[in-house]
């Protein structure tokens, strides 16, 4: 019965996604849902940005082992990211009417900055999307009681998500997110209610967690504990702001005001709701201490699904795995779509001057298929946990893309020379520390961030040596602005006008 429920749910999800695909007519529909989404749908899709494999399996498993201090990156850093990104994009970038962050970097600086930052952004998605694919394999393996091996489940999950995402793009993602958020919230709250009754109630579980030190948040030691703590927080909070999926979800709103309000609402909702799987996972250690404490030592990611399969009725199992599949599919579809669109728009398009909109839509879809294949190979060969794969994903964007984005949007004196210095300085120093120092006192990505800031300031204020930026391709399909009249440095963002 459980397997049939999962199969039916998957077919319904694919059908909804393919129905949405009938409304996709151009690249703008595919990339940002035609910028037509209302407040509830945008809030749902912003919430779904993070509520995927890491929230259900990764964060809950890490909390059971390390307590609140171990999950500072997610949900604390992740939820603040959604709030900051929503306000930032809604107030500064929404009015530009661009498809990708790379478009902004080209308009504000030049094509070299566009290409370099896009490569950083695309590379960061390998770990993130692989975590979602790995979780899909885990779910299929658990639901079928090992009849479907995890590797086969990963391939099957990737194929299902790829099917409706390839045809429907952001519109399919948004509609499915809106439908699935009800399943996610209802399913998790129902399981939480059942588990609360088995473990003695909310007060008992929270009291036991507090007595075990799981609710201690701030480090008690010196710099050796504080610096990794701050590093993990900032990596997720700031490093995930220059991300195409966050940008797409926010700018798919039909107005700047909706973009801001929905992002704040989605971020707050995500922060509050992530504590539900944490509560369920810790309650498991009170319901059956011997089994689940042993499972924590071997593979803590199995605590939640094992609890549901062994201690709840079939109906509750169907609700739980439906919620889990909803969370993972909504998250993985958008995170497959985002880097594929960014790579197509800001890398591939440069080699296809004059290509029409419908032809370029086919290019986007083919890129999506290719990126999915790369991610699947990466996931099949990775030994990292889901939480670690997600936590490590945004180090490169923190070091290489965050400073050019924020300084480019908010500092009028930022120049192309400064942006290039920030990218090379930030990424270069981060990679150097990672390669040469096994356990640095200051996390390598924080050193990269610091060097990137210094390089941006120095490169922008020193005499300019970067040549004239390459103007944007004159293609009406891109909905871009001209980057002309830039001589020794990039013009301030407010100087550009809508086409």
């Amino acid at each position: 019965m459980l397997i049939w429920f999962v199969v039916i749910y998957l077919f319904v999800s694919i059908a909804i996604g393919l129905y949405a695909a009938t409304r996709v007519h151009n690249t703008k529909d595919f990339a940002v849902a035609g910028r037509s989404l209302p407040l509830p749908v945008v809030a749902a899709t912003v919430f779904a940005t993070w509520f995927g494999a890491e929230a259900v399996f990764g964060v809950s498993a890490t909390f059971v082992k390390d307590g609140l201090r171990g999950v500072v990156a997610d949900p604390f850093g992740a939820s603040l990211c959604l709030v900051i990104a929503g306000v930032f994009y809604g107030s500064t970038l929404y009015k530009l009417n661009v498809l990708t962050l790379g478009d902004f970097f080209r308009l504000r600086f030049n094509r070299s900055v566009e290409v370099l930052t896009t490569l950083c952004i695309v590379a960061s998605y390998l770990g993130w999307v692989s975590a979602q694919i790995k979780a899909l394999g885990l779910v299929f393996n658990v639901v079928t009681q090992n009849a479907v091996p995890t590797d086969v489940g990963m391939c099957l999950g990737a194929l299902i998500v790829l099917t409706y995402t390839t045809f429907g793009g952001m519109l399919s993602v948004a509609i499915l997110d809106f439908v699935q958020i009800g399943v996610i919230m209802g399913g998790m709250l129902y399981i939480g209610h059942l588990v609360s009754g088995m473990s003695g109630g909310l007060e008992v579980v929270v009291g036991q967690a507090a007595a075990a030190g799981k609710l201690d948040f701030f480090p008690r030691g010196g710099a050796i504990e504080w610096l990794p703590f701050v590093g993990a927080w900032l990596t997720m909070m700031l490093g995930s702001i220059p991300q195409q999926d966050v940008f797409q979800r926010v700018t798919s709103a039909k107005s700047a005001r909706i973009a801001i309000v929905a992002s704040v609402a989605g971020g707050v909702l995500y922060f509050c709701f992530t504590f539900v799987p944490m509560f369920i996972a810790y309650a498991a250690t009170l319901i059956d201490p011997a089994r689940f404490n042993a499972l924590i030592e071997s593979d803590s990611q199995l605590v939640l699904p094992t609890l549901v399969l062994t201690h709840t009725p079939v109906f509750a199992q169907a609700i739980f795995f439906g919620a889990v599949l909803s969370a993972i599919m909504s998250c993985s579809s958008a995170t497959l779509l985002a880097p594929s669109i960014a790579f197509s728009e800001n890398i591939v398009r440069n080699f296809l001057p004059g290509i029409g909109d419908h032809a370029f839509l086919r290019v986007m879809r083919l890129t999506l298929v290719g990126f999915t294949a790369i991610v699947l190979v990466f996931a099949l060969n990775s030994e990292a946990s889901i939480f670690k794969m997600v936590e490590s994903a945004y180090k490169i964007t923190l070091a290489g893309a965050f400073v050019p984005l924020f300084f480019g949007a908010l500092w009028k004196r930022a120049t192309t020379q400064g942006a290039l210095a920030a990218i090379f300085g930030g990424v270069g120093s981060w990679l150097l520390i990672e390669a040469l120092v096994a356990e640095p006192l200051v996390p390598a990505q924080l050193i990269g961030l610091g060097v990137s800031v210094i390089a941006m300031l120095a490169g922008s204020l020193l005499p300019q040596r970067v040549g004239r930026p390459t103007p944007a391709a004159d293609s009406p399909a891109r909905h871009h602005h001209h980057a002309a009249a830039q001589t020794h440095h990039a013009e301030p963002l407010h100087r550009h006008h809508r086409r």
Side-chain angles (χ1 to χ4, degrees), residues 350-368:
N350 292 328
F351 298 97
L352 301 171
I355 188 172
D357 190 73
H358 288 289
F360 191 65
L361 182 57
R362 288 195 295 271
V363 171
M364 284 185 169
R365 285 169 168 157
L366 288 173
T367 305
L368 177 61

Side-chain angles (χ1 to χ4, degrees), residues 1-10 183 317-323:
M1 180 179 175
L2 176 60
I3 295 174
W4 277 110
F5 175 85
V6 170
V7 170
I8 292 170
Y9 180 80
L10 291 173
V183 180
Q317 294 172 24
I319 293 295
F320 173 79
F321 286 106

Side-chain angles (χ1 to χ4, degrees), residues 227-264:
L227 286 172
F229 177 83
V230 173
W233 196 338
L234 290 181
T235 299
M236 186 67 90
M237 182 174 68
L238 302 182
S240 47
I241 289 176
Q243 287 295 321
Q244 180 63 21
D245 66 312
V246 178
F247 175 79
Q248 280 178 211
R249 290 174 187 267
V250 173
T251 56
S252 63
K254 62 182 179 181
S255 72
R257 178 183 171 277
I258 288 177
I260 295 172
V261 174
S263 299
V264 173

Side-chain angles (χ1 to χ4, degrees), residues 125-400:
Y125 277 96
L126 278 176
W128 174 262
V129 188
S130 296
Q132 313 309 314
I133 300 301
K134 199 168 187 177
L136 284 172
L138 177 67
V139 171
F140 287 131
N141 177 257
V142 171
V143 167
T144 60
Q145 297 182 351
N146 299 318
V148 175
T150 302
D151 289 356
V152 175
M154 290 163 67
C155 297
L156 179 61
L159 181 62
I160 291 169
V161 173
L162 178 65
T163 299
Y164 66 79
T165 308
T166 301
F167 289 100
M170 189 60 202
L171 196 58
S172 287
V173 170
I175 292 175
L176 273 172
D177 284 348
F178 185 67
V179 172
Q180 290 170 335
I181 192 173
V183 180
I184 294 168
M185 299 184 72
M188 287 294 171
L189 289 173
Y190 175 66
I191 296 298
H193 172 71
L194 289 181
V195 170
S196 176
M198 299 178 204
S199 57
L202 178 64
E203 292 184 3
V204 172
V205 176
V206 173
Q208 290 286 339
K214 300 298 182 182
L215 302 186
D216 296 339
F217 182 62
F218 294 106
R220 295 180 178 177
I224 197 169
E225 290 187 15
W226 271 97
L227 286 172
F229 177 83
V230 173
W233 196 338
L234 290 181
T235 299
M236 186 67 90
M237 182 174 68
L238 302 182
S240 47
I241 289 176
Q243 287 295 321
Q244 180 63 21
D245 66 312
V246 178
F247 175 79
Q248 280 178 211
R249 290 174 187 267
V250 173
T251 56
S252 63
K254 62 182 179 181
S255 72
R257 178 183 171 277
I258 288 177
I260 295 172
V261 174
S263 299
V264 173
V268 172
L269 181 63
Y270 173 78
F271 177 78
C272 297
F273 205 77
T274 310
F275 284 92
V276 176
M278 282 193 265
F279 167 80
I280 296 171
Y282 194 78
T285 63
L286 306 183
I287 295 171
D288 191 345
R291 167 182 282 185
F292 289 109
N293 285 328
L295 199 57
I296 288 170
E297 296 301 321
S298 59
D299 189 352
S300 56
Q301 294 173 153
L302 292 173
V303 169
L304 241 66
T306 302
L307 170 69
V308 173
L309 283 174
T310 56
H311 288 78
T312 63
V314 174
F315 174 74
Q317 294 172 24
I319 293 295
F320 173 79
F321 286 106
V324 168
L325 284 172
S326 294
I328 299 172
M329 289 170 62
S330 63
C331 191
S332 56
S333 57
T335 48
L336 279 172
L337 181 68
S340 303
I341 288 176
F343 189 81
S344 302
E345 173 75 2
N346 302 114
I347 305 293
V348 177
R349 188 187 276 276
N350 292 328
F351 298 97
L352 301 171
I355 188 172
D357 190 73
H358 288 289
F360 191 65
L361 182 57
R362 288 195 295 271
V363 171
M364 284 185 169
R365 285 169 168 157
L366 288 173
T367 305
L368 177 61
V369 174
F371 186 75
T372 303
I374 294 171
V375 165
L376 182 58
V377 171
F378 185 83
L380 289 170
N381 292 279
S382 176
E383 299 296 329
S385 70
I386 292 171
F387 187 83
K388 284 299 179 184
M389 291 172 78
V390 171
E391 189 180 29
S392 302
Y394 300 116
K395 292 179 180 179
I396 186 171
T397 45
L398 179 67

Side-chain angles (χ1 to χ4, degrees), residues 102 105-106 110-121 346-347 350 423:
F105 287 118
R106 186 185 65 257
N110 70 358
R111 188 156 285 160
S112 297
V113 177
E114 170 195 12
V115 171
L116 291 171
T117 51
T118 299
L119 290 175
C120 288
I121 291 169
N346 302 114
I347 305 293
N350 292 328
I423 296 167

